[in-house]
Amino acid sequence: MFPELNSILSSSPENFTEGEFILLSDRQADASFLIHHYLTFYLRARCRVCFLGLVQSFSHYSVVSQRLGVNLTQAKEKGQLVFLEALKASPGVLLGDESSDKTAALDYLRSPCPELRGLYEFVWNSLSRAGGEDAAESWGPPVLIIDDLSVLLSLGVSAGAILDFTHYCQATICSQLQGSMIALVRCDDEEYDEDEESSNYLLKALSHQCSLSLRVEGLSTGYCRDIHGQVEIWWRGRGIKNQRKIFQYKVHDKGASFFAPGTSRAVL
Amino acid sequence: MLTEVLQGSDSGGIVIIRDTSSYSGRDLLKYCINCALKREEDVHVLGFEVPEQELRSELDSNNKHLFHFHNAYSDPLGWRKQSSFTVEQFSAENITRLVRETKHAKASVLVIDSLSWIERHHNPVAICQQLHKLKKGGAIRTICCLLHMDLHQQGIVESICHLANTVITVTAVNNALYAEAKTTHRKKSGKVMQEEEFFTVMENLSLSIEKRPSQSGHAQVHSDAKVDPASNLTFNLRLSEVEREAKEKVALPFVFSQEKKSALLKKGQGSGRIIYEPDANDDFDEEDPDDDLDI
C-alpha cells in the first residue's frame, strides 16, 4: 500500500470506510498499481479478500506484494485471501476438462452463457463464510477486488451481464456484509462512439453506482520519465462531500508517490 | 417552477428526472418522495439501484407508514432465491396489484429508481407501454422516475421522455454546490413551459432554488463612476483653457485644407526647374499626361 495515497484518501488499515464501492479506471495508462495498493492495504487491515485475477497470474501479484511488504502465499494459506486464477484455469474450461468448483466460476467462457452468475456464486461462497473452519482467526469485513472487468467484454460477456454481476456484488458485499468492493475498468480512447458494449459505457454505468472513483490518465503532453500520469480522485457524495481532486503520480520500485500537479520534484 | 412541479398536487401524470454520472438526480427524487408523503399520499418505490435505508433516510417521519419500498435491490434477477421484486415482474398488472394491496391514502404515487436499470432487461417499447398503461390505469396518480441519460442512446431517452408530462434534466455546474435543472412541463391544456433554475437539496431534504447563480467566486466589479486616468499622477496631464484653445488651432499635417491646396497649385519660382535632355532611346512626349485632370 502507498502511504501517500492513504493520507490523500484519509484512510489507513486501522481506519477505513466500510461498504465502499471503489471504481478504478484508466485511459492510456496503467492503473494496476492501484490494484496492488488496495490488495496490500486490505490484507494489512486483516480483511478477508476475494481476488478475481482475470488478467495476471498469482505469482505476478505475489512478487509485487512482496516488495510492498505483504506475503500473498501466506495469506492464501491462512485462508485470508481467496484467489481466482482465471488465466490458469481458463484452458481447462475451454477444452472441457475435469470439472471443479472453479470451473463453474468461469462459466462465461463457455458460450453462449450470458450471465456471470457462476462467478457471483464463487465470490459469495468465498466471502460469506465468516471465519469458516479456522474459527481462531476472525477477519475483518470482506473485500472483493476485480482485475479487471474490461477483459470480460473482450471475452464476449455483454456489458449488461457485467453490470448485473457488479450489482449483485455490491448488494451483497457492500450493503449486506458491509464490506468493500474494488473494480478496475480499462478504457481505450478509440472506442469513443456511443457503443453500448464498450468499456466507456461500462465506466459510465459503474460511475453511477460507485462511492469513490479513481481515474488514471497519461499526461496529455505525452510520456514523461518523472511523472507517469495523473489520477483524478472523485469522492461521490452529496453537496460538500462531492469532491474532485487531481494528483500526479510516479510509480517506484517499492511504491508510488503522489503530488499536486506541477509539484514533482523533477520540475521544482 | 421546479418546486411547483414536484410539490404539484394538481398535475399527476409522469415525471421523469434525467441525470448523468456527474450529478445524481436521486436527491431530487427523494425530495419528490418527501413532498408526496407530506401530501399524505401512498408512495410505492420500486428500488433497483440503492438499498432501502438510503432512500428512507431523511424522509418526513410523520408519514413514514405511507412509504412502501419494494426491494428490487437485493435480488432483482432471482439469483439468490430471496427476491422480493424482480425485474421480470415489471408490468402494469403486477404493479397495480402491489399498489392495491396496501391501504389507500388519498392517492398513490409510484417512484421508479431507476428506469435505466429496467431498460437493461426490458425492451424500451415494452417499458413505454407499461408506463402508459399505468398512467391510464387509475390506481396510480403520479409516476416519478429516475433515468440516467448518459447510459442510453438519445432516441431511447427521448421516446421514454415523450410519455412524460414533466421532464427535469439535472446537470452539474462546474465546482459548485448547486446544480442546474431544466424543467419542461406540459400542462393538460397542451401548453409547454420551460424553465432553467439552479438548486441544491439540503440535508433535511428541502429544496433551495436560485434563479441566477451568485457569482461568489469571481467578483466582477462594475464601477459606475468612470475613473479619471489623469488623477493621482506626479506630473500634470491636464490642459488649461489657453492651452486648450491653442491645441484646437493647430492644423493637422495631413488635413487637406484650402491654404494647402492653393500652395500646391501655385507654380514654383523657378529655383527647382528640371532640365531634361532626352536620349536617342527615349520616347519623349511633349504633351502633359495630366492635362485632362480637372482639379
Side-chain angles (χ1 to χ4, degrees):
Chain A
M1 68 176 188
F2 310 139
E4 282 180 41
L5 187 57
N6 282 345
S7 61
I8 291 174
L9 295 174
S10 311
S11 65
S12 68
E14 296 82 30
N15 178 15
F16 56 90
T17 333
E18 294 184 357
E20 282 218 289
F21 175 9
I22 302 174
L23 180 65
L24 308 175
S25 61
D26 62 28
R27 183 183 301 279
Q28 311 215 311
D30 192 354
S32 40
F33 69 99
L34 290 173
I35 291 274
H36 296 296
H37 161 80
Y38 278 109
L39 177 58
T40 46
F41 178 93
Y42 283 109
L43 284 175
R44 279 254 180 87
R46 294 185 53 82
C47 291
R48 199 129 192 279
V49 177
C50 174
F51 193 100
L52 301 184
L54 305 176
V55 289
Q56 296 277 10
S57 61
F58 176 75
S59 47
H60 170 86
Y61 297 102
S62 185
V63 163
V64 178
S65 301
Q66 199 92 16
R67 293 218 198 109
L68 295 175
V70 171
N71 189 336
L72 285 197
T73 323
Q74 211 177 55
K76 203 160 129 181
E77 278 161 19
K78 280 195 289 186
Q80 188 190 7
L81 171 66
V82 178
F83 197 99
L84 174 68
E85 249 195 287
L87 279 185
K88 210 160 115 182
S90 301
V93 173
L94 284 170
L95 299 172
D97 275 346
E98 83 300 346
S99 58
S100 64
D101 58 326
K102 291 277 171 69
T103 58
L106 301 178
D107 247 353
Y108 56 88
L109 288 173
R110 289 189 253 252
S111 62
C113 189
E115 41 179 39
L116 291 171
R117 190 170 173 173
L119 195 58
Y120 167 71
E121 308 272 338
F122 171 81
V123 168
W124 172 245
N125 290 335
S126 324
L127 291 178
S128 60
R129 278 175 285 143
E133 306 90 47
D134 215 338
E137 303 261 31
S138 62
W139 305 110
V143 173
L144 170 67
I145 306 182
I146 310 174
D147 181 16
D148 60 66
L149 284 175
S150 350
V151 76
L152 290 171
L153 282 175
S154 324
L155 289 171
V157 184
S158 68
I162 299 179
L163 290 171
D164 288 339
F165 167 71
T166 48
H167 175 99
Y168 264 89
C169 289
Q170 191 180 12
T172 40
I173 299 171
C174 299
S175 305
Q176 188 185 330
L177 300 175
Q178 290 297 302
S180 301
M181 183 171 143
I182 294 104
L184 172 61
V185 177
R186 309 201 63 187
C187 295
D188 217 348
D189 249 343
E190 281 128 45
E191 318 165 1
Y192 228 79
D193 48 43
E194 294 308 307
D195 186 12
E196 281 210 351
E197 291 301 318
S198 69
S199 317
N200 283 312
Y201 168 75
L202 199 59
L203 181 62
K204 270 190 265 187
L206 289 173
S207 304
H208 277 279
Q209 295 296 102
C210 71
S211 55
L212 175 64
S213 158
L214 281 86
R215 286 199 192 188
V216 177
E217 278 182 14
L219 292 178
S220 55
T221 43
Y223 175 72
C224 171
R225 194 186 51 187
D226 297 300
I227 304 171
H228 292 158
Q230 69 179 35
V231 184
E232 183 203 56
I233 304 179
W234 183 10
W235 289 269
R236 293 178 52 97
R238 181 209 281 177
I240 297 190
K241 291 189 229 156
N242 197 337
Q243 270 190 48
R244 286 202 212 213
K245 279 196 189 160
I246 295 189
F247 292 90
Q248 290 179 340
Y249 70 91
K250 180 180 178 180
V251 180
H252 308 297
D253 193 34
K254 292 201 180 209
S257 53
F258 295 80
F259 35 88
T263 59
S264 158
R265 255 177 259 125
V267 167
L268 285 179
Chain B
M1 190 165 98
L2 186 63
T3 338
E4 288 134 36
V5 145
L6 289 176
Q7 281 177 354
S9 40
D10 61 328
S11 41
I14 303 183
V15 177
I16 294 189
I17 300 173
R18 318 200 292 193
D19 66 0
T20 56
S21 55
S22 52
Y23 187 85
S24 172
R26 193 160 288 113
D27 285 339
L28 215 55
L29 195 72
K30 279 172 84 164
Y31 174 75
C32 186
I33 296 176
N34 217 24
C35 291
L37 288 177
K38 286 191 176 142
R39 293 196 302 266
E40 292 182 3
E41 295 178 351
D42 259 329
V43 177
H44 291 264
V45 181
L46 296 185
F48 286 93
E49 291 201 353
V50 291
E52 183 171 354
Q53 330 62 295
E54 208 174 305
L55 273 187
R56 212 182 246 272
S57 64
E58 298 162 340
L59 287 183
D60 192 53
S61 45
N62 296 330
N63 291 325
K64 265 194 170 158
H65 61 282
L66 294 172
F67 178 80
H68 309 280
F69 185 86
H70 302 284
N71 186 4
Y73 173 74
S74 324
D75 195 7
L77 300 171
W79 286 2
R80 299 177 64 191
K81 315 258 188 306
Q82 350 164 317
S83 40
S84 168
F85 188 89
T86 63
V87 74
E88 293 304 318
Q89 291 176 303
F90 177 76
S91 70
E93 295 82 30
N94 284 332
I95 295 174
T96 317
R97 193 170 20 93
L98 269 179
V99 167
R100 290 217 164 105
E101 268 167 20
T102 55
K103 287 202 209 74
H104 267 311
K106 288 185 195 166
S108 293
V109 174
L110 176 68
V111 174
I112 304 182
D113 177 19
S114 66
L115 277 180
S116 298
W117 213 104
I118 303 178
E119 196 272 339
R120 280 214 312 266
H121 293 269
H122 282 277
N123 196 341
V125 173
I127 298 178
C128 290
Q129 285 173 340
Q130 299 306 320
L131 282 178
H132 188 72
K133 274 191 211 167
L134 283 169
K135 186 170 151 183
K136 295 286 175 205
I140 296 169
R141 203 189 63 163
T142 318
I143 306 176
C144 194
C145 316
L146 187 60
L147 182 67
H148 304 304
M149 320 192 268
D150 52 355
L151 297 185
H152 309 284
Q153 289 168 359
Q154 206 195 357
I156 295 179
V157 173
E158 294 299 328
S159 18
I160 295 181
C161 291
H162 197 68
L163 285 173
N165 302 72
T166 313
V167 177
I168 306 170
T169 312
V170 292
T171 37
V173 176
N174 297 336
N175 294 329
L177 289 178
Y178 49 81
E180 186 185 349
K182 292 195 183 124
T183 315
T184 307
H185 179 60
R186 195 165 56 213
K187 289 186 151 166
K188 287 205 169 79
S189 57
K191 180 174 175 192
V192 176
M193 296 171 48
Q194 287 188 326
E195 195 164 355
E196 280 180 27
E197 289 154 296
F198 296 91
F199 73 98
T200 22
V201 180
M202 319 292 257
E203 284 298 323
N204 58 347
L205 284 188
S206 60
L207 200 61
S208 141
I209 305 248
E210 299 160 70
K211 268 280 149 51
R212 222 184 357 250
S214 51
Q215 308 216 342
S216 51
H218 12 264
Q220 285 166 350
V221 178
H222 292 293
S223 49
D224 292 328
K226 278 218 170 93
V227 178
D228 185 14
S231 57
N232 298 331
L233 293 172
T234 54
F235 44 88
N236 180 26
L237 279 182
R238 294 200 177 91
L239 294 171
S240 69
E241 273 309 307
V242 176
E243 289 168 333
R244 197 179 304 245
E245 277 171 44
K247 179 182 159 193
E248 315 266 279
K249 284 211 182 104
V250 168
L252 293 174
F254 296 105
V255 169
F256 198 62
S257 65
Q258 198 54 28
E259 295 106 355
K260 284 216 176 123
K261 184 172 162 186
S262 43
L264 284 171
L265 288 175
K266 235 189 312 190
K267 287 248 171 67
Q269 262 94 22
S271 53
R273 190 169 290 176
I274 299 167
I275 298 165
Y276 175 65
E277 297 291 340
D279 234 3
N281 300 329
D282 268 334
D283 182 9
F284 190 64
D285 191 354
E286 284 286 350
E287 271 181 27
D288 181 7
D290 291 331
D291 221 354
D292 52 5
L293 276 181
D294 177 23
I295 299 175

